Amino acid sequence: MPRAMSATMSTHEIPLSRPDITSAEMDAVEAVMRSGRLSIGPVQEQFEQLVAARTDREHAVACSSGTAGLHMALLALGIGPGDEVITTPFSFIASSNVILMAGARPVFVDICPKTLNMDPQKLEDAITPRTKAILAVEALGNPAYMPEYEQIAAKREIPLIEDCCEALGCAIKGRACGSFGRVGVFGFYPNKQITTGEGGMIVTSDKRLADMCRSLRSQGRPIAGALPTASPATPGNAGSATMGSWLLHERLGYNYRLSELHAAVGVAQMRRFDQIVQRRQAVARMYMERLMSNPDIILPTLPAESVMSWFVFVVRLSTTYTRDERDRIIAGMRRHDVGAADYFPCIHLQPFYRERFGYAPGDFPIAESVSARTIALPFFNDLTEREADFVSQTLGLMLSRENLKRT
Ligand SMILES: *Cc1c(COP(=O)(O)O)cnc(C)c1O
């Protein structure tokens, strides 16, 4: 966002996140508006091709959000009532909600304290005859264990769904996030590596699965009827007076489409993607340099042979800190106009999960212990060296203030 547009906010405020929108995105949206074709058109297909190419997948299906994409992926795999899906309690709530939306039951397994992703051994131990899928998340974009999860899924003949909503541009052992398992799903909310305002993308090399998602995306229309050439602007049944397959619905579907306007923002962002990733890596390095000598701060642990595009920059306080101390540190940073947040509270301890499944503190001790000590720092493409200085100094100040209270 141009600085001038945020001038009405506090001039010193360093927000947690800020979208990076240039004139390329604005021009692309204007071109769509002038074209007269606002939905189901060529720009969505262009966006799909760009993301498919970037993630080494044959098919990509754009949709209205990451949540919508995950919901369709589960439905397309035939997951429903009576099924169990193994997933992580340390994530944004959508990765688990989509399992409930499909009518199935999430089965949580605890995480590894270093990478913050599901412990592969615990994952394998949790598989039962009712397990119909593994829904793995690259927590905070960390691609750790994706190859291991893929192997377990293959060995046990269970599909792996990759919730890579935080990992566009990340990779491990030369493989892009989004390329593991049967299907991957990205999200494009404004705080992600790229944004379309709201939006998502399913990626897969399974044509039937992609076709099913295209149908689910557009009210359960037959595959051909759900494609651009058959939209009302150009009825599929050439020469016929009817709307052809446009008004034929073969299954319960949704309106999970992405408009051409949103897709245009995505195309412009994907064209600048290398530059976006370089900027995010530079900002992450700025924080690493400034924080690595503080013994109270645990920096992100990255697996060998991995590439990070950095969804957010989350540090952890050492185990001597309590949740209350962490919360006071975040509140103190905010008082100093530094956007900070507690990414992520454990999903199993969210009110409606506790109520419905009877979860209680202590059920997933590692996830809970990690989640009590995380602090997300301001992170966006044009964060400056001076802003990184200010954020790091403010964090240091708040830490010493808590330390003083103890003595
Ligand atoms: C952002 C996110 C989602 C959901 O994406 P939306 O586009 O906001 O629906 C799902 N899972 C994870 C892990 C996310 O971070």
Side-chain angles (χ1 to χ4, degrees):
M1 191 199 297
R3 291 294 157 85
M5 286 168 75
S6 51
T8 49
M9 297 181 227
S10 161
T11 39
H12 302 296
E13 187 188 322
I14 308 175
L16 186 60
S17 169
R18 184 158 63 198
D20 173 12
I21 297 298
T22 66
S23 54
E25 283 80 0
M26 297 188 204
D27 292 348
V29 172
E30 189 181 343
V32 169
M33 287 184 157
R34 291 189 191 285
S35 79
R37 187 148 188 179
L38 304 189
S39 189
I40 315 183
V43 186
Q44 165 183 277
E45 277 189 285
Q46 223 180 329
F47 185 32
E48 290 175 343
Q49 279 159 18
L50 285 166
V51 177
R54 187 81 202 189
T55 54
D56 297 317
R57 288 290 205 177
E58 282 165 49
H59 310 282
V61 182
C63 54
S64 54
S65 70
T67 307
L70 287 165
H71 186 204
M72 289 191 283
L74 286 161
L75 295 177
L77 287 168
I79 289 155
D83 297 339
E84 292 179 355
V85 178
I86 298 178
T87 194
T88 171
F90 183 73
S91 174
F92 178 58
I93 191 147
S95 59
S96 178
N97 278 356
V98 293
I99 299 168
L100 297 177
M101 287 161 67
R105 182 188 169 126
V107 172
F108 296 113
V109 300
D110 212 345
I111 60 173
C112 152
K114 279 209 170 93
T115 62
L116 314 188
N117 286 343
M118 284 186 287
D119 182 320
Q121 187 57 56
K122 290 179 184 158
L123 163 59
E124 194 157 12
D125 293 345
I127 296 174
T128 74
R130 280 199 299 275
T131 307
K132 288 292 148 52
I134 298 166
L135 195 154
V137 180
E138 282 103 349
L140 312 170
N142 192 327
Y145 311 133
M146 282 301 145
E148 285 86 345
Y149 299 153
E150 193 179 56
Q151 269 177 15
I152 294 169
K155 191 171 72 183
R156 307 295 288 262
E157 298 185 37
I158 304 165
L160 172 66
I161 301 165
E162 191 185 347
D163 175 349
C164 38
C165 283
E166 302 177 0
L168 183 65
C170 297
I172 183 162
K173 296 189 171 139
R175 286 181 59 194
C177 289
S179 72
F180 294 92
R182 280 283 287 282
V183 55
V185 179
F186 294 102
F188 307 125
Y189 184 74
N191 69 347
K192 314 272 179 181
Q193 282 90 335
I194 69 157
T195 187
T196 57
E198 297 283 359
M201 187 75 75
I202 299 165
V203 292
T204 181
S205 294
D206 179 334
K207 181 172 187 304
R208 284 182 54 196
L209 193 135
D211 283 346
M212 178 59 83
C213 290
R214 288 202 169 90
S215 172
L216 291 169
R217 170 177 75 177
S218 197
Q219 311 285 9
R221 292 189 167 95
I223 306 308
L227 291 177
T229 45
S231 80
T234 49
N237 248 350
S240 148
T242 73
M243 292 294 285
S245 57
W246 182 250
L247 291 182
L248 187 62
H249 306 278
E250 291 181 335
R251 56 186 63 82
L252 174 63
Y254 302 82
N255 179 356
Y256 278 168
R257 294 184 302 262
L258 187 72
S259 83
E260 289 286 280
L261 302 163
H262 294 87
V265 179
V267 168
Q269 296 253 297
M270 283 309 288
R271 291 206 170 124
R272 302 196 292 120
F273 192 59
D274 287 333
Q275 178 212 326
I276 288 172
V277 171
Q278 275 166 25
R279 272 309 302 163
R280 296 181 89 81
Q281 289 172 343
V283 173
R285 271 198 304 276
M286 292 184 334
Y287 278 135
M288 297 276 199
E289 284 161 10
R290 285 160 177 79
L291 299 173
M292 67 186 181
S293 57
N294 190 327
D296 288 349
I297 295 173
I298 303 169
L299 292 171
T301 309
L302 304 178
E305 295 179 71
S306 64
V307 177
M308 285 291 281
S309 58
W310 298 100
F311 162 51
V312 284
F313 196 86
V314 172
V315 297
R316 254 183 301 157
L317 304 179
S318 69
T319 48
T320 58
Y321 286 83
T322 65
R323 174 185 292 274
D324 286 344
E325 287 173 326
R326 188 277 310 266
D327 290 347
R328 281 200 297 270
I329 290 166
I330 290 179
M333 293 179 78
R334 287 187 181 156
R335 273 197 306 278
H336 285 75
D337 282 330
V338 173
D342 55 339
Y343 283 4
F344 282 105
C346 285
I347 296 175
H348 67 284
L349 296 180
Q350 294 288 350
F352 79 101
Y353 280 82
R354 291 178 77 150
E355 213 169 283
R356 195 152 151 191
F357 298 107
Y359 291 120
D363 285 344
F364 302 99
I366 300 174
E368 291 165 27
S369 155
V370 163
S371 154
R373 290 178 291 112
T374 49
I375 302 180
L377 303 180
F379 195 84
F380 41 87
N381 298 351
D382 59 355
L383 190 112
T384 63
E385 299 268 355
R386 282 185 56 193
E387 286 172 323
D389 284 342
F390 187 70
V391 172
S392 306
Q393 284 159 11
T394 310
L395 175 59
L397 185 72
M398 295 304 135
L399 284 167
S400 27
R401 191 185 274 180
E402 285 305 317
N403 284 329
L404 277 176
K405 280 187 197 161
R406 288 176 178 168
T407 49

